[in-house]
Amino acid sequence: MASAPEPFPRPPLDAVALNAALVRPGGMWHHVEVLPEARSTNTELADRARQGAPHGSVLVTEHQTAGRGRLGRGFSTPPHAALTLSLLVRPEAPTERLGWLSALMGVAAVGAVRRVSGVKAALKWPNDVLVPAHLRAEPASADGKLAGILAEADFSSGSPAVVVGIGLNVSQDRAELPVDTAVSLRGEGAEAPDRGALLTALLGEFEELYTAWTAADGDAEASGLAAAYRDMCVTVGRRVRVHLPGDRLLEGTATGVDVEARLLVRGPDGERALSVGDVVHVRPGT
């Protein structure tokens, strides 16, 4: 039986064109590989990193069947409908500053989405790309999640190898999205989103930010990364309900993001700095 036709064009990624655009002498990117299908680009690239894959390796899949998010949450995407990729970096920066790499990916993704698609993306701490409720294409009472980001570090070789992955919803219609809070670029007004252009822009933005960050020895303040992140992060200034391990709850106002990429929340007992590992969920407060 023939498969049902796609509701709109979903062309495959052109690996030759991507490498021609992104891989150059003196540049950051070593090679961009496009797989027809993968369970998880993070898992696959992390395995390759342990076998010696070089800095600047990029792995993209047309169809991710068992992607991984924070806290082991899984997700999958229809073929050719999303931009799902992981990249490998081997930074020479202090270990305590590596937490900024997922934030760096977020800033790069927001910049690429805004520039290529026109969708008014923003960041939610710690690792989501979203469209704020008041900027949605249609009236909405809640933010819509466009992408999730997961960074994983491995020190088995003696120096850090960090895989940073992102899954960005591009052309899914409402029925293809996993939850009501998820949105796609097409659903938010981008009529013919181009995954190749998005990927090229994303990796270009990442390279520029990463080059400045490493030149500053991973100092997010000195490199300008922290300021760019705070400017894009809609969590800052909001009332939040922070779900902590052990069914504990912290309610207060998110006042900022500190030099270690921790969320600062002012609650009944004063201000508290929360790292990604401290938090289960951050929800809007009342």
Side-chain angles (χ1 to χ4, degrees):
M1 180 182 295
S3 60
E6 292 180 339
F8 34 81
R10 286 175 170 165
L13 291 167
D14 185 336
V16 173
L18 289 169
N19 279 281
L22 291 161
V23 179
R24 64 187 187 282
M28 177 174 173
W29 305 115
H30 172 76
H31 179 64
V32 180
E33 181 177 352
V34 180
L35 299 177
E37 183 175 304
R39 288 180 54 79
S40 163
T41 56
N42 258 37
T43 298
E44 173 64 25
L45 192 53
D47 288 344
R48 296 185 186 190
R50 286 187 285 270
Q51 296 166 21
H55 171 86
S57 298
V58 181
L59 190 64
V60 192
T61 186
E62 296 282 26
H63 182 204
Q64 185 156 260
T65 59
R68 294 184 296 112
R70 281 190 66 236
L71 306 176
R73 301 180 188 113
F75 65 94
S76 62
T77 56
H80 301 165
L83 191 58
T84 48
L85 70 134
S86 299
L87 57 86
L88 170 64
V89 291
R90 297 184 180 274
E92 296 181 1
T95 300
E96 64 270 17
R97 294 176 173 175
L98 298 182
W100 276 103
L101 284 169
S102 60
L104 194 155
M105 174 66 92
V107 173
V110 168
V113 165
R114 289 177 178 177
R115 179 153 55 91
V116 174
S117 75
V119 173
K120 297 170 182 175
L123 294 170
K124 173 192 170 187
W125 188 91
N127 62 349
D128 287 346
V129 179
L130 52 77
V131 183
H134 68 285
L135 297 176
R136 297 276 300 274
E138 301 291 340
S141 59
D143 301 334
K145 181 176 175 179
L146 276 173
I149 296 164
L150 179 66
E152 301 174 286
D154 180 82
F155 297 90
S156 60
S157 67
S159 58
V162 184
V163 172
V164 189
I166 184 170
L168 172 66
N169 298 324
V170 177
S171 65
Q172 293 100 314
D173 61 26
R174 181 73 262 163
E176 292 175 311
L177 293 166
V179 293
D180 290 343
T181 52
V183 296
S184 70
L185 294 178
R186 180 175 176 270
E188 290 301 313
E191 292 185 4
D194 183 331
R195 292 185 305 140
L198 282 164
L199 178 55
T200 301
L202 171 61
L203 293 180
E205 297 260 0
F206 191 99
E207 180 173 3
E208 182 176 342
L209 291 162
Y210 184 85
T211 300
W213 179 76
T214 53
D217 197 29
D219 186 330
E221 298 288 358
S223 68
L225 174 59
Y229 182 86
R230 293 178 188 124
D231 184 59
M232 293 178 175
C233 183
V234 297
T235 308
V236 176
R238 285 183 169 183
R239 292 282 302 174
V240 293
R241 302 177 79 243
V242 183
H243 297 258
L244 304 169
D247 294 324
R248 292 174 296 134
L249 187 67
L250 172 63
E251 296 189 83
T253 299
T255 58
V257 176
D258 73 5
V259 69
E260 296 179 24
R262 299 178 300 181
L263 183 68
L264 303 176
V265 178
R266 181 175 293 116
D269 300 320
E271 190 167 78
R272 182 170 174 184
L274 301 169
S275 68
V276 174
D278 295 331
V279 171
V280 179
H281 296 294
V282 178
R283 305 293 193 202
T286 54

